[in-house]
């Protein structure tokens, strides 16, 4: 135990490959835990086909939710911040996803235990659901607003450096870091987010909106009602399957973003324009989601009836995340192709 604790304390000094293996090892452990719980809960063979189908449904729900635009924007902008500070944020996606899925798992445990509190929190229109939804949307909106402004200042600086480089000026590596007035103003609010593991708290607060916990909770309650003989272990496999899927996808997304931004820092002259473009996309996406989220927050918190906040609160960002992924990958592929031709 002493050696494990020492390894945890010194994890920042571990090689990048080792930290990546540890991150995906934890993801694999979540998958194994979900399978073990399901097998243990269905050892007598009762309802096995239905149980496997429900777990698969929960797993696919986790995959889909990992590509929601607000989650991608949070992971992408956080990764950009850490890379600009010369860190290797291997576990940003994993930490965010683990925090978010912790809410789902906790709600699942409460439902299995038969706690009436869980049902009240996850019932649409209830006071508990409204309060937690406001907390989740308020935190996510403010965090994305701060990250969007932070990376927006980085975009302004790198775009200016790119224009100067086109005119023959030397590239200063510090031009790739946000040092504007906006960055200085946001330094204190973002000072608590100093390591990738700090994103766990952000992910947890994002999850308090109970957008996915509602789906999984209702699924588990329906299962418990229709299959009275299904053991609790089999039901607990549902939120764990959801968590396993989401942590896998978010970890892969976070690693891809880290490689993308590190390539810009490692080769500033050849990729300065690429860095400015991708940073601009990240900043715009974060600010876009922040406006939508905060608009919905104001609409719900103050019972506004104006058409603007009402429209913002009705926007569903679930499918739009795939567009953001495709856009970032297209820019990355285009930059790589251009570099290969230039080389």
């Amino acid at each position: 135990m002493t050696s494990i604790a020492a390894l945890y304390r010194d994890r920042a000094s571990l090689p990048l490959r080792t930290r990546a293996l540890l991150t995906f090892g934890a993801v694999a452990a979540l998958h194994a835990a979900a399978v073990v719980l399901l097998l243990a809960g269905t050892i007598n063979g009762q309802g096995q086909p239905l149980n496997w189908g429900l777990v698969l449904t929960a797993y696919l729900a986790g995959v889909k939710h990992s590509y929601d635009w607000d989650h991608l924007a949070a992971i992408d902008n956080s990764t950009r911040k850490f890379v600009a500070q010369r860190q290797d944020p291997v576990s940003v996606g994993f930490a965010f996803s683990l925090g978010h899925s912790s809410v789902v798992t906790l709600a699942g445990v409460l439902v299995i235990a038969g706690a009436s509190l869980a049902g009240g929190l996850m019932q649409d229109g209830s006071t508990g659901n409204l309060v937690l939804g406001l907390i989740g949307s308020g935190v996510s909106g403010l965090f994305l607003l701060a990250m969007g402004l932070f990376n927006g200042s980085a975009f302004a600086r790198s775009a200016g450096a790119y224009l100067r480089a086109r005119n023959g000026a030397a590239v200063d590596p510090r031009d790739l870091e946000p040092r504007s007035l906006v960055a200085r103003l946001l330094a204190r609010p973002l000072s608590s987010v100093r390591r990738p593991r700090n994103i766990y708290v952000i992910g947890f607060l994002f999850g308090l909106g109970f957008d996915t916990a509602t789906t999984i909770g209702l699924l588990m309650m329906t299962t418990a009602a229709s299959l009275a003989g299904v053991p609790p272990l089999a039901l607990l496999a549902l939120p764990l399957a959801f968590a396993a899927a989401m942590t896998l996808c978010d970890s892969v997304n976070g690693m891809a973003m880290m490689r993308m931004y590190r390539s810009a820092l490692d080769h500033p002259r050849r990729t300065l324009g690429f860095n400015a473009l991708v940073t601009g996309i990240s900043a715009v996406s974060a600010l876009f989601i922040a406006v939508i989220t905060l608009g919905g927050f104001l609409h719900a918190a103050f019972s506004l009836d104006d058409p603007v906040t009402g429209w913002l609160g009705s926007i569903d960002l679930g499918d739009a995340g795939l567009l953001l992924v495709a856009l970032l990958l297209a820019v990355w592929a285009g930059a790589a192709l251009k570099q290969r031709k230039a080389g």
Side-chain angles (χ1 to χ4, degrees):
M1 292 298 294
T2 303
S3 59
I4 295 176
L7 182 65
Y8 179 79
R9 287 194 300 268
D10 299 334
R11 62 194 178 280
S13 61
L14 295 175
L16 180 64
R17 184 184 297 273
T18 302
R19 283 184 286 142
L21 289 175
L22 290 174
T23 296
F24 285 101
V27 173
L30 284 174
H31 282 75
V35 173
V36 168
L37 285 173
L38 180 61
L39 292 176
T42 57
I43 195 169
N44 60 0
Q46 182 178 358
Q48 279 192 8
L50 181 59
N51 293 338
W52 281 100
L54 291 173
V55 169
L56 179 61
T57 300
Y59 190 88
L60 294 177
V63 172
K64 181 181 183 299
H65 191 69
S66 68
Y67 288 98
D68 279 7
W69 198 321
D70 55 341
H71 288 217
L72 288 170
I75 295 171
D76 176 42
N77 280 264
S78 301
T79 300
R80 174 66 181 84
K81 172 184 180 291
F82 290 128
V83 171
Q85 296 171 346
R86 299 292 175 171
Q87 298 187 46
D88 293 321
V90 173
S91 58
V92 166
F94 175 78
F96 179 90
S97 185
L98 190 63
H100 189 84
S101 57
S102 294
V103 178
V104 179
T105 304
L106 178 59
V109 171
L110 292 175
V111 169
I112 293 172
S116 59
L117 174 62
L121 293 178
M122 291 186 293
Q123 183 178 356
D124 287 337
S126 67
T127 302
N129 181 263
L130 177 61
V131 171
L132 290 178
L134 290 176
I135 293 175
S137 60
V139 169
S140 61
L142 291 175
F143 178 75
L144 289 174
L145 178 63
M147 296 304 297
L149 293 174
F150 185 88
N151 287 328
S153 68
F155 165 72
R157 190 179 182 90
S158 58
Y162 173 69
L163 294 177
R164 291 192 297 272
R166 290 189 61 181
N167 295 327
V171 177
D172 185 349
R174 292 178 299 177
D175 288 335
L176 299 177
E177 302 179 14
R179 296 177 178 271
S180 67
L181 175 62
V182 173
R184 290 195 294 270
L185 291 175
L186 291 173
R188 184 175 294 276
L190 295 177
S191 61
S192 59
V193 187
R194 290 175 293 183
R195 299 290 180 187
R197 61 181 177 272
N198 299 140
I199 299 298
Y200 173 89
V201 178
I202 301 298
F204 187 90
L205 294 174
F206 266 53
L208 288 179
F210 276 90
D211 47 355
T212 53
T214 301
T215 303
I216 301 301
L218 290 176
L219 179 61
M220 293 175 63
M221 286 186 286
T222 302
T223 305
S226 60
L227 302 172
V230 175
L233 288 178
L235 296 177
L236 189 56
L238 296 176
L240 277 182
F242 178 91
M246 193 161 64
T247 52
L248 174 62
C249 295
D250 283 345
S251 297
V252 171
N253 291 337
M255 289 286 290
M257 299 303 174
M258 184 193 71
R259 288 176 58 88
M260 187 185 305
Y261 290 126
R262 282 186 65 196
S263 68
L265 291 179
D266 292 340
H267 306 284
R269 182 178 295 277
R270 296 177 63 183
T271 58
L272 193 58
F274 159 74
N275 180 71
L277 178 59
V278 176
T279 304
I281 293 174
S282 299
V284 169
S285 67
L287 293 174
F288 175 67
I289 303 302
V291 169
I292 294 175
T293 304
L294 291 176
F297 169 82
L298 294 174
H299 181 78
F302 299 102
S303 300
L304 302 179
D305 57 359
D306 65 288
V308 177
T309 59
W311 173 69
L312 291 174
S314 65
I315 295 178
D316 182 11
L317 298 171
D319 298 326
L322 295 176
L323 297 177
L324 179 60
V325 172
L327 180 59
L328 290 171
L329 290 178
V331 173
W332 192 14
L337 183 61
K338 184 176 180 180
Q339 287 184 11
R340 178 170 294 184
K341 289 182 178 181

